[in-house]
Amino acid sequence: MTQRIIYPTQDGGVAIIIPTGELPLEEVARKDVPAGVQFKIVDTTEVPEDRTFRSAWEADFSNPSGHGVGHDAWFAEQAAKEEV
Amino acid sequence: MAITINGTTGISGVDGSAGTPAVQGTDSNTGVFFPAADTIAFAEGGAEVMRIDSSGNVGIGTTSPISKLEVKAAGFVAASISSDSTSETQLRFYTNTAARISQQANQALIFDTNATERMRIDSSGNVGIGTSSPQGKFNVGGGRSVFGANSETYSIGVGYTQARVNSGQTYYIGATDSATPDLVFSNAAGTERMRLDTSGNLLFNSGYGSVATAYGCRAWVNFNGTGTVAIRASGNVSSITDVGTGQYTVNFTTAMPDVNYSAQVNARVAGVITTGVAAYDVTNTTSALFVVTYSTTTAVDCTYVNVAIFR
């Protein structure tokens, strides 16, 4: 995966999701980003390699790619699909 | 009797009856008679035993054969093909379309060898081998079944020959014996090698020393937490979330059944084993696991981070 999903954390930092490829990127974003939190899909080259000041990372989320639905809602969606 | 004998019609002029056949030998109630137009019948002891009707149908034990050959009796009836040599006896069909062995009544069709039932198709269409009451479309009872693959890639296939009803359609292989509903796999000698018990536990001997329940790793991931965080390999993990220095969330593709799973975590930096690795938050029930790696009391990014979830 050459792409990452980033979203703002509650303490003002930035969380970076590294997908494994088991699920499509968009599904990973919907599932693993907390419910209602906006995210951006970025290339790995946009994520700093130097993690010395990891807690100080910031990102511009003014133009998000979408927002997460969270684990619980996502799994509920999957369960509903299996019942059809 | 008015018998006519001439060079054109031969012997004619008398129809006769079953009691007094038109053609007879010294036994006056056994012979050939002609009960109707275009019909030939044979009598024994004053009773009709066989006829060829006006349609060319042969009836044995019936005066109204419904097909080219009908054999009928009030009780048991059989038609035999016998050989007194070592040659085979065969029932052959020569046709340009399908041949059919048909049970017309709402009864079973039974096949014997050595005068003993071996297989039947019951009135519902269920096929039984070694059982006279097949439970399901195909039921083999009374002994082992062997399926030879020869050059095929598998010996037993489970499939559906028509279009699927829906995408969720599922194929099942399962034990049907309600007394011992485990599904057991054995070698050619009948020694048990693997068992799927009725509770869904998978038991096998893969170096354990005995056949025992195998508790599987439900999720795992190996990743590099330094630089551009990268996953080396994983299973049942949709992603990890880099929350901060040394802090990661492992997100499961398929959720755990409950929070009582066991999270095993270890990490090291550049070949040095890092102590104090902890599963920080495993109460997030079915979806995620927080992992924090520590070196002394400070969170630190590790080159090798390994997480395994057992349940």
Side-chain angles (χ1 to χ4, degrees), chain B residues 106-156:
Chain B
N106 186 24
Q107 298 291 338
L109 184 62
I110 300 173
F111 299 84
D112 289 6
T113 62
N114 197 23
T116 302
E117 176 177 340
R118 306 300 188 189
M119 183 176 82
R120 75 165 53 197
I121 305 171
D122 72 11
S123 59
S124 299
N126 294 336
V127 177
I129 298 176
T131 174
S132 59
S133 54
Q135 307 297 308
K137 282 297 174 188
F138 185 62
N139 186 174
V140 179
R144 295 180 184 176
S145 300
V146 178
F147 298 86
N150 295 330
S151 60
E152 300 292 330
T153 54
Y154 55 84
S155 59
I156 300 176

Side-chain angles (χ1 to χ4, degrees), chain B residues 171-190:
Chain B
Y171 305 140
Y172 291 94
I173 296 177
T176 58
D177 182 350
S178 59
T180 53
D182 293 358
L183 188 60
V184 178
F185 299 81
S186 69
N187 63 9

Side-chain angles (χ1 to χ4, degrees), chain B:
Chain B
M1 288 186 180
I3 299 175
T4 300
I5 303 175
N6 64 40
T8 303
T9 60
I11 302 172
S12 60
V14 176
D15 289 335
S17 65
T20 310
V23 179
Q24 54 188 251
T26 57
D27 186 349
S28 63
N29 61 6
T30 298
V32 181
F33 66 104
F34 307 92
D38 304 322
T39 302
I40 305 169
F42 300 82
E44 287 181 339
E48 179 179 336
V49 293
M50 185 174 82
R51 80 164 51 185
I52 305 171
D53 70 10
S54 58
S55 299
N57 293 339
V58 177
I60 300 175
T62 175
T63 58
S64 53
I66 58 175
S67 60
K68 283 299 176 185
L69 175 63
E70 181 181 1
V71 180
K72 187 175 183 179
F76 173 81
V77 62
S80 302
I81 303 173
S82 303
S83 172
D84 56 4
S85 72
T86 56
S87 299
E88 290 183 350
T89 53
Q90 300 180 350
L91 180 62
R92 294 185 174 185
F93 303 92
Y94 296 93
T95 172
N96 290 326
T97 184
R100 183 186 297 262
I101 297 175
S102 175
Q103 164 61 282
Q104 295 289 292
N106 186 24
Q107 298 291 338
L109 184 62
I110 300 173
F111 299 84
D112 289 6
T113 62
N114 197 23
T116 302
E117 176 177 340
R118 306 300 188 189
M119 183 176 82
R120 75 165 53 197
I121 305 171
D122 72 11
S123 59
S124 299
N126 294 336
V127 177
I129 298 176
T131 174
S132 59
S133 54
Q135 307 297 308
K137 282 297 174 188
F138 185 62
N139 186 174
V140 179
R144 295 180 184 176
S145 300
V146 178
F147 298 86
N150 295 330
S151 60
E152 300 292 330
T153 54
Y154 55 84
S155 59
I156 300 176
V158 179
Y160 195 71
T161 58
Q162 300 176 20
R164 287 186 166 205
V165 175
N166 57 62
S167 60
Q169 190 171 333
T170 305
Y171 305 140
Y172 291 94
I173 296 177
T176 58
D177 182 350
S178 59
T180 53
D182 293 358
L183 188 60
V184 178
F185 299 81
S186 69
N187 63 9
T191 304
E192 179 176 337
R193 291 306 189 212
M194 187 169 73
R195 175 183 295 258
L196 183 61
D197 73 15
T198 187
S199 299
N201 296 322
L202 178 62
L203 300 85
F204 61 91
N205 181 357
S206 182
Y208 301 152
S210 64
V211 175
T213 302
Y215 296 96
C217 175
R218 301 289 292 262
W220 64 275
V221 61
N222 175 338
F223 64 93
N224 182 352
T226 63
T228 300
V229 177
I231 296 170
R232 295 187 180 91
S234 65
N236 191 31
V237 170
S238 62
S239 69
I240 59 172
T241 304
D242 165 17
V243 183
T245 300
Q247 300 180 41
Y248 312 96
T249 301
V250 177
N251 303 300
F252 306 135
T253 301
T254 299
M256 296 299 121
D258 53 44
V259 298
N260 300 324
Y261 51 81
S262 175
Q264 307 301 313
V265 187
N266 65 70
R268 64 189 172 96
V269 180
V272 179
I273 296 176
T274 304
T275 59
V277 177
Y280 182 72
D281 183 356
V282 293
T283 61
N284 201 4
T285 63
T286 59
S287 58
L289 164 69
F290 264 91
V291 179
V292 180
T293 60
Y294 286 96
S295 176
T296 62
T297 58
T298 304
V300 64
D301 291 329
C302 293
T303 311
Y304 292 92
V305 183
N306 299 292
V307 181
I309 307 297
F310 291 88
R311 176 67 177 86

Side-chain angles (χ1 to χ4, degrees), chain A residues 5-18:
Chain A
I5 302 156
I6 63 174
Y7 66 88
T9 58
Q10 289 183 333
D11 60 5
V14 178
I16 297 110
I17 293 177
I18 301 95

